[in-house]
């Protein structure tokens, strides 16, 4: 009996009810080493490795005392913060329901609701020193529209960070390349000493995803 090579591609069983895009997504998941590592190491999603790799490079989590996680579902980023800053107070928000995480306060509500920022601040006994955002808008299938919708969330997250961060605090957020990030970068450069773009190895090569890293908040 022939043995499959170590680089062989695993393919999901065919299902007539699946769309072609769903079939491709399942195939990609089955052959993604980060998905397997996340399962083996107990992370809730492969996205945990993106934050791990960013933090290994920029060292923004260790020593944090109060952390806000925007778009917390399914919870991989909050798990990383819990491991690297176990004494930090962490509050997350997502429109989706999220299974509880020990030591993390989770709010199920839309971050874009008017009352969301105040609700997040109320859960912390002081200003956060780290704001994370892995938020992305639900896609509608139109590339430019999807890009603009997600970048609007990223910019809203940046404004939130500027409003609530303590001096010297940091901000990490997901965005997508596409030419609409000028206003975002201008805002961050005005309020942070260091602003950089980064694409961690865990981001898929074919994705336009990148992360903005803003360090050492100057104050309002």
């Amino acid at each position: 009996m022939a043995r499959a090579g170590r680089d062989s591609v695993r393919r999901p069983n065919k299902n007539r009810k699946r769309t072609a895009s769903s079939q491709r997504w399942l195939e990609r998941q089955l052959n993604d080493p980060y998905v397997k590592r996340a399962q083996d190491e107990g992370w809730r999603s492969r996205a945990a490795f993106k934050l791990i790799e960013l933090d290994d490079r920029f060292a923004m989590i260790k020593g944090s005392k109060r952390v806000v996680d925007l778009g917390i579902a399914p919870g991989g980023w909050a798990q990383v913060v819990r491991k690297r800053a176990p004494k930090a107070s962490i509050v997350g928000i997502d429109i989706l329901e999220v299974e509880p995480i020990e030591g993390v306060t989770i709010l199920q509500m839309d971050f874009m609701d008017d009352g969301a920022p105040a609700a997040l601040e109320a859960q912390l006994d002081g200003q956060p020193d780290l704001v994370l955002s892995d938020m992305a808008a639900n896609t509608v299938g139109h590339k430019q529209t999807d890009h603009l919708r997600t970048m609007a969330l990223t910019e809203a997250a940046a404004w939130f960070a500027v409003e609530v961060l303590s001096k010297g605090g940091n901000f990490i957020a997901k965005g997508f390349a596409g030419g609409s990030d000028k206003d975002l970068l201008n805002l961050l450069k005005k309020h942070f000493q260091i602003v950089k773009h980064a694409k961690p190895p865990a981001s898929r090569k074919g994705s336009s995803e990148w992360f903005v890293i803003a360090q050492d908040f100057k104050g309002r």
Side-chain angles (χ1 to χ4, degrees):
M1 183 174 66
R3 295 178 60 190
R6 63 181 296 179
D7 295 323
S8 61
V9 175
R10 297 174 62 196
R11 300 185 186 279
N13 294 328
K14 295 287 186 180
N15 185 325
R16 292 181 181 179
K17 294 183 179 180
R18 292 194 193 117
T19 64
S21 60
S22 295
Q23 190 75 14
R24 288 193 297 271
W25 181 86
L26 284 170
E27 186 172 317
R28 185 176 63 186
Q29 289 294 102
L30 285 171
N31 292 281
D32 188 330
Y34 283 102
V35 172
K36 186 176 187 308
R37 278 186 63 191
Q39 294 170 344
D40 291 345
E41 297 176 22
W43 302 111
R44 292 192 177 184
S45 69
R46 70 184 304 284
F49 295 107
K50 300 175 188 178
L51 183 58
I52 289 170
E53 291 163 354
L54 290 170
D55 190 53
D56 285 346
R57 179 176 173 184
F58 296 103
M60 300 172 73
I61 297 177
K62 185 178 180 180
S64 296
K65 296 179 180 179
R66 301 178 187 89
V67 181
V68 175
D69 185 353
L70 307 176
I72 188 175
W77 277 27
Q79 286 180 302
V80 173
V81 176
R82 279 285 290 158
K83 185 171 183 178
R84 296 198 167 196
K87 295 183 180 181
S89 176
I90 308 167
V91 58
I93 187 171
D94 206 292
I95 196 170
L96 301 175
E97 184 176 359
V98 180
E99 288 293 320
I101 303 171
E102 183 180 357
V104 179
T105 299
I106 301 172
L107 304 179
Q108 185 179 359
M109 63 186 304
D110 189 341
F111 172 67
M112 298 302 285
D113 287 351
D114 291 342
L120 286 166
E121 290 184 75
Q123 297 298 324
L124 297 171
D125 62 344
Q127 293 175 287
D129 47 21
L130 176 61
V131 172
L132 308 173
S133 174
D134 196 29
M135 293 189 294
N138 292 330
T139 58
V140 298
H142 185 270
K143 187 175 181 179
Q144 185 177 6
T145 300
D146 291 339
H147 167 79
L148 291 173
R149 283 158 56 104
T150 289
M151 290 308 298
L153 283 176
T154 305
E155 189 167 344
W159 275 109
F160 173 77
V162 167
E163 290 295 323
V164 304
L165 273 173
S166 60
K167 192 171 182 180
N170 301 312
F171 174 64
I172 304 174
K174 176 165 67 180
F176 291 96
S180 66
D181 58 349
K182 183 178 179 181
D183 290 342
L184 171 67
L185 294 178
N186 287 340
L187 170 67
L188 295 177
K189 288 176 180 178
K190 178 179 177 181
H191 293 283
F192 292 84
Q193 296 288 352
I194 301 170
V195 178
K196 295 181 179 180
H197 278 151
K199 186 176 178 70
S203 288
R204 291 188 172 103
K205 292 182 180 180
S207 171
S208 61
E209 172 186 82
W210 51 255
F211 291 84
V212 62
I213 311 297
Q215 296 173 281
D216 195 3
F217 182 59
K218 301 175 186 177
R220 288 164 284 283

Short mmCIF file of all heavy atoms in Angstrom, two decimals, residues 108-147:
data_model
loop_
_atom_site.label_atom_id
_atom_site.label_comp_id
_atom_site.label_asym_id
_atom_site.label_seq_id
_atom_site.Cartn_x
_atom_site.Cartn_y
_atom_site.Cartn_z
N GLN A 108 -20.78 40.82 25.53
CA GLN A 108 -21.35 40.49 24.23
C GLN A 108 -22.18 41.67 23.75
O GLN A 108 -23.34 41.85 24.12
CB GLN A 108 -22.22 39.23 24.30
CG GLN A 108 -22.72 38.81 22.92
CD GLN A 108 -23.55 37.54 22.94
OE1 GLN A 108 -23.77 36.94 24.00
NE2 GLN A 108 -24.04 37.12 21.77
N MET A 109 -21.57 42.49 22.93
CA MET A 109 -22.25 43.63 22.34
C MET A 109 -21.43 44.14 21.17
O MET A 109 -20.25 43.79 21.02
CB MET A 109 -22.48 44.74 23.37
CG MET A 109 -21.22 45.35 23.95
SD MET A 109 -21.55 46.55 25.30
CE MET A 109 -22.64 47.74 24.53
N ASP A 110 -22.05 44.95 20.33
CA ASP A 110 -21.37 45.50 19.16
C ASP A 110 -20.50 46.67 19.59
O ASP A 110 -20.98 47.62 20.22
CB ASP A 110 -22.44 45.97 18.16
CG ASP A 110 -21.85 46.36 16.80
OD1 ASP A 110 -20.64 46.61 16.72
OD2 ASP A 110 -22.64 46.40 15.84
N PHE A 111 -19.21 46.59 19.26
CA PHE A 111 -18.29 47.67 19.63
C PHE A 111 -18.71 49.01 19.04
O PHE A 111 -18.40 50.07 19.60
CB PHE A 111 -16.87 47.32 19.17
CG PHE A 111 -15.89 48.45 19.34
CD1 PHE A 111 -15.53 48.88 20.61
CD2 PHE A 111 -15.34 49.09 18.24
CE1 PHE A 111 -14.65 49.94 20.78
CE2 PHE A 111 -14.45 50.14 18.39
CZ PHE A 111 -14.11 50.57 19.67
N MET A 112 -19.44 48.98 17.93
CA MET A 112 -19.86 50.22 17.29
C MET A 112 -21.10 50.84 17.94
O MET A 112 -21.50 51.94 17.58
CB MET A 112 -20.13 49.97 15.80
CG MET A 112 -18.90 49.51 15.03
SD MET A 112 -17.51 50.67 15.11
CE MET A 112 -18.09 51.93 13.97
N ASP A 113 -21.71 50.14 18.90
CA ASP A 113 -22.81 50.74 19.65
C ASP A 113 -22.30 51.92 20.46
O ASP A 113 -21.17 51.89 20.98
CB ASP A 113 -23.44 49.72 20.60
CG ASP A 113 -24.28 48.68 19.87
OD1 ASP A 113 -24.50 48.86 18.66
OD2 ASP A 113 -24.70 47.70 20.51
N ASP A 114 -23.12 52.94 20.62
CA ASP A 114 -22.70 54.15 21.32
C ASP A 114 -22.24 53.88 22.75
O ASP A 114 -21.32 54.53 23.25
CB ASP A 114 -23.85 55.17 21.34
CG ASP A 114 -24.15 55.75 19.97
OD1 ASP A 114 -23.28 55.63 19.08
OD2 ASP A 114 -25.24 56.30 19.79
N GLY A 115 -22.86 52.90 23.41
CA GLY A 115 -22.52 52.64 24.80
C GLY A 115 -21.36 51.70 25.02
O GLY A 115 -20.94 51.48 26.17
N ALA A 116 -20.81 51.13 23.94
CA ALA A 116 -19.75 50.12 24.09
C ALA A 116 -18.48 50.66 24.75
O ALA A 116 -17.95 50.03 25.67
CB ALA A 116 -19.44 49.49 22.74
N PRO A 117 -17.94 51.80 24.31
CA PRO A 117 -16.70 52.29 24.95
C PRO A 117 -16.84 52.50 26.45
O PRO A 117 -15.97 52.11 27.23
CB PRO A 117 -16.43 53.61 24.22
CG PRO A 117 -17.05 53.43 22.87
CD PRO A 117 -18.30 52.64 23.15
N ALA A 118 -17.96 53.10 26.87
CA ALA A 118 -18.17 53.33 28.31
C ALA A 118 -18.31 52.01 29.06
O ALA A 118 -17.82 51.87 30.19
CB ALA A 118 -19.41 54.20 28.52
N ALA A 119 -18.96 51.02 28.43
CA ALA A 119 -19.13 49.71 29.07
C ALA A 119 -17.78 49.03 29.27
O ALA A 119 -17.54 48.39 30.31
CB ALA A 119 -20.04 48.83 28.22
N LEU A 120 -16.89 49.18 28.31
CA LEU A 120 -15.55 48.60 28.44
C LEU A 120 -14.77 49.29 29.55
O LEU A 120 -14.15 48.62 30.40
CB LEU A 120 -14.80 48.73 27.11
CG LEU A 120 -15.23 47.78 26.00
CD1 LEU A 120 -14.66 48.23 24.66
CD2 LEU A 120 -14.79 46.35 26.29
N GLU A 121 -14.78 50.61 29.55
CA GLU A 121 -14.05 51.36 30.57
C GLU A 121 -14.55 51.03 31.97
O GLU A 121 -13.77 50.98 32.93
CB GLU A 121 -14.16 52.85 30.31
CG GLU A 121 -13.39 53.33 29.09
CD GLU A 121 -13.48 54.84 28.94
OE1 GLU A 121 -12.79 55.55 29.71
OE2 GLU A 121 -14.23 55.31 28.06
N ALA A 122 -15.85 50.79 32.09
CA ALA A 122 -16.44 50.51 33.40
C ALA A 122 -15.93 49.21 34.01
O ALA A 122 -15.97 49.03 35.23
CB ALA A 122 -17.96 50.46 33.29
N GLN A 123 -15.43 48.32 33.17
CA GLN A 123 -14.94 47.04 33.66
C GLN A 123 -13.50 47.09 34.15
O GLN A 123 -12.99 46.13 34.72
CB GLN A 123 -15.05 45.98 32.54
CG GLN A 123 -16.47 45.71 32.08
CD GLN A 123 -17.35 45.14 33.18
OE1 GLN A 123 -16.90 44.36 34.01
NE2 GLN A 123 -18.62 45.54 33.18
N LEU A 124 -12.83 48.21 33.93
CA LEU A 124 -11.43 48.37 34.34
C LEU A 124 -11.34 49.43 35.43
O LEU A 124 -11.98 50.47 35.33
CB LEU A 124 -10.56 48.78 33.15
CG LEU A 124 -10.46 47.78 31.99
CD1 LEU A 124 -9.75 48.42 30.81
CD2 LEU A 124 -9.73 46.51 32.41
N ASP A 125 -10.54 49.18 36.42
CA ASP A 125 -10.38 50.18 37.50
C ASP A 125 -9.22 51.11 37.17
O ASP A 125 -8.29 51.28 37.95
CB ASP A 125 -10.16 49.48 38.85
CG ASP A 125 -8.90 48.64 38.87
OD1 ASP A 125 -8.37 48.33 37.79
OD2 ASP A 125 -8.44 48.29 39.98
N GLY A 126 -9.29 51.70 36.00
CA GLY A 126 -8.22 52.60 35.56
C GLY A 126 -8.09 52.55 34.05
O GLY A 126 -8.79 51.78 33.37
N GLN A 127 -7.21 53.36 33.52
CA GLN A 127 -7.03 53.41 32.07
C GLN A 127 -6.24 52.19 31.58
O GLN A 127 -5.26 51.78 32.22
CB GLN A 127 -6.28 54.68 31.68
CG GLN A 127 -7.06 55.96 31.93
CD GLN A 127 -6.19 57.19 31.64
OE1 GLN A 127 -5.29 57.52 32.40
NE2 GLN A 127 -6.49 57.85 30.53
N PRO A 128 -6.62 51.60 30.44
CA PRO A 128 -5.84 50.49 29.90
C PRO A 128 -4.49 50.96 29.39
O PRO A 128 -4.34 52.12 28.99
CB PRO A 128 -6.72 49.98 28.75
CG PRO A 128 -7.53 51.15 28.34
CD PRO A 128 -7.79 51.93 29.60
N ASP A 129 -3.52 50.05 29.45
CA ASP A 129 -2.21 50.37 28.87
C ASP A 129 -1.94 49.58 27.59
O ASP A 129 -0.89 49.71 26.99
CB ASP A 129 -1.08 50.14 29.88
CG ASP A 129 -1.18 48.81 30.61
OD1 ASP A 129 -1.86 47.90 30.09
OD2 ASP A 129 -0.61 48.70 31.71
N LEU A 130 -2.93 48.76 27.19
CA LEU A 130 -2.82 48.03 25.93
C LEU A 130 -4.22 47.82 25.37
O LEU A 130 -5.11 47.32 26.06
CB LEU A 130 -2.14 46.67 26.14
CG LEU A 130 -2.03 45.76 24.92
CD1 LEU A 130 -1.21 46.41 23.81
CD2 LEU A 130 -1.41 44.42 25.31
N VAL A 131 -4.42 48.23 24.11
CA VAL A 131 -5.67 47.98 23.40
C VAL A 131 -5.35 47.13 22.18
O VAL A 131 -4.48 47.47 21.37
CB VAL A 131 -6.36 49.29 22.96
CG1 VAL A 131 -7.55 48.99 22.06
CG2 VAL A 131 -6.80 50.10 24.18
N LEU A 132 -6.06 46.01 22.07
CA LEU A 132 -5.88 45.09 20.95
C LEU A 132 -7.14 45.08 20.10
O LEU A 132 -8.25 45.16 20.63
CB LEU A 132 -5.64 43.66 21.45
CG LEU A 132 -4.55 43.44 22.49
CD1 LEU A 132 -4.59 41.99 22.97
CD2 LEU A 132 -3.18 43.75 21.89
N SER A 133 -6.98 44.96 18.80
CA SER A 133 -8.15 44.85 17.92
C SER A 133 -7.88 43.86 16.80
O SER A 133 -7.02 44.09 15.95
CB SER A 133 -8.52 46.21 17.31
OG SER A 133 -9.57 46.03 16.37
N ASP A 134 -8.61 42.76 16.84
CA ASP A 134 -8.55 41.79 15.75
C ASP A 134 -9.89 41.80 15.00
O ASP A 134 -10.28 40.82 14.39
CB ASP A 134 -8.26 40.39 16.31
CG ASP A 134 -7.81 39.42 15.22
OD1 ASP A 134 -7.22 39.87 14.23
OD2 ASP A 134 -8.07 38.20 15.35
N MET A 135 -10.58 42.94 15.07
CA MET A 135 -11.90 43.04 14.45
C MET A 135 -11.81 43.06 12.92
O MET A 135 -10.88 43.61 12.34
CB MET A 135 -12.61 44.33 14.91
CG MET A 135 -12.97 44.35 16.37
SD MET A 135 -14.04 45.76 16.80
CE MET A 135 -12.93 47.15 16.49
N ALA A 136 -12.79 42.43 12.31
CA ALA A 136 -12.95 42.50 10.86
C ALA A 136 -14.44 42.48 10.55
O ALA A 136 -15.21 41.78 11.22
CB ALA A 136 -12.26 41.33 10.17
N ALA A 137 -14.85 43.24 9.58
CA ALA A 137 -16.27 43.30 9.22
C ALA A 137 -16.69 42.02 8.51
O ALA A 137 -15.87 41.37 7.85
CB ALA A 137 -16.52 44.50 8.31
N ASN A 138 -17.95 41.64 8.66
CA ASN A 138 -18.48 40.53 7.89
C ASN A 138 -18.38 40.86 6.41
O ASN A 138 -18.73 41.96 5.98
CB ASN A 138 -19.95 40.27 8.25
CG ASN A 138 -20.09 39.73 9.66
OD1 ASN A 138 -19.20 39.05 10.17
ND2 ASN A 138 -21.21 40.03 10.30
N THR A 139 -17.89 39.91 5.63
CA THR A 139 -17.67 40.17 4.20
C THR A 139 -18.98 40.07 3.42
O THR A 139 -19.88 39.31 3.78
CB THR A 139 -16.66 39.17 3.61
OG1 THR A 139 -17.15 37.82 3.81
CG2 THR A 139 -15.30 39.31 4.30
N VAL A 140 -19.04 40.86 2.35
CA VAL A 140 -20.21 40.82 1.47
C VAL A 140 -19.83 40.31 0.09
O VAL A 140 -20.68 40.20 -0.79
CB VAL A 140 -20.85 42.22 1.35
CG1 VAL A 140 -21.35 42.69 2.69
CG2 VAL A 140 -19.87 43.24 0.75
N GLY A 141 -18.53 40.01 -0.10
CA GLY A 141 -18.08 39.45 -1.37
C GLY A 141 -17.56 40.48 -2.36
O GLY A 141 -17.07 40.11 -3.43
N HIS A 142 -17.65 41.76 -1.99
CA HIS A 142 -17.11 42.82 -2.85
C HIS A 142 -15.83 43.32 -2.19
O HIS A 142 -15.88 43.88 -1.09
CB HIS A 142 -18.13 43.95 -2.99
CG HIS A 142 -17.70 45.02 -3.95
ND1 HIS A 142 -16.97 46.12 -3.55
CD2 HIS A 142 -17.89 45.15 -5.28
CE1 HIS A 142 -16.74 46.91 -4.59
NE2 HIS A 142 -17.28 46.34 -5.65
N LYS A 143 -14.70 43.08 -2.85
CA LYS A 143 -13.40 43.29 -2.23
C LYS A 143 -13.22 44.70 -1.67
O LYS A 143 -12.79 44.87 -0.53
CB LYS A 143 -12.29 42.98 -3.24
CG LYS A 143 -10.89 42.99 -2.65
CD LYS A 143 -9.86 42.55 -3.67
CE LYS A 143 -8.47 42.55 -3.07
NZ LYS A 143 -7.44 42.10 -4.06
N GLN A 144 -13.54 45.72 -2.47
CA GLN A 144 -13.34 47.09 -2.02
C GLN A 144 -14.26 47.44 -0.85
O GLN A 144 -13.84 48.07 0.12
CB GLN A 144 -13.57 48.06 -3.17
CG GLN A 144 -13.26 49.51 -2.81
CD GLN A 144 -13.43 50.45 -3.98
OE1 GLN A 144 -13.88 50.04 -5.06
NE2 GLN A 144 -13.07 51.71 -3.80
N THR A 145 -15.52 46.98 -0.93
CA THR A 145 -16.46 47.24 0.16
C THR A 145 -16.00 46.56 1.44
O THR A 145 -16.03 47.16 2.52
CB THR A 145 -17.87 46.75 -0.22
OG1 THR A 145 -18.30 47.44 -1.39
CG2 THR A 145 -18.85 47.00 0.91
N ASP A 146 -15.59 45.30 1.33
CA ASP A 146 -15.12 44.56 2.51
C ASP A 146 -13.93 45.25 3.14
O ASP A 146 -13.82 45.36 4.37
CB ASP A 146 -14.75 43.12 2.12
CG ASP A 146 -15.97 42.29 1.75
OD1 ASP A 146 -17.09 42.66 2.17
OD2 ASP A 146 -15.80 41.28 1.05
N HIS A 147 -13.02 45.74 2.30
CA HIS A 147 -11.83 46.44 2.79
C HIS A 147 -12.22 47.71 3.56
O HIS A 147 -11.75 47.95 4.68
CB HIS A 147 -10.91 46.79 1.63
CG HIS A 147 -9.84 47.77 1.98
ND1 HIS A 147 -8.70 47.41 2.66
CD2 HIS A 147 -9.75 49.11 1.77
CE1 HIS A 147 -7.95 48.48 2.85
NE2 HIS A 147 -8.55 49.52 2.33
#
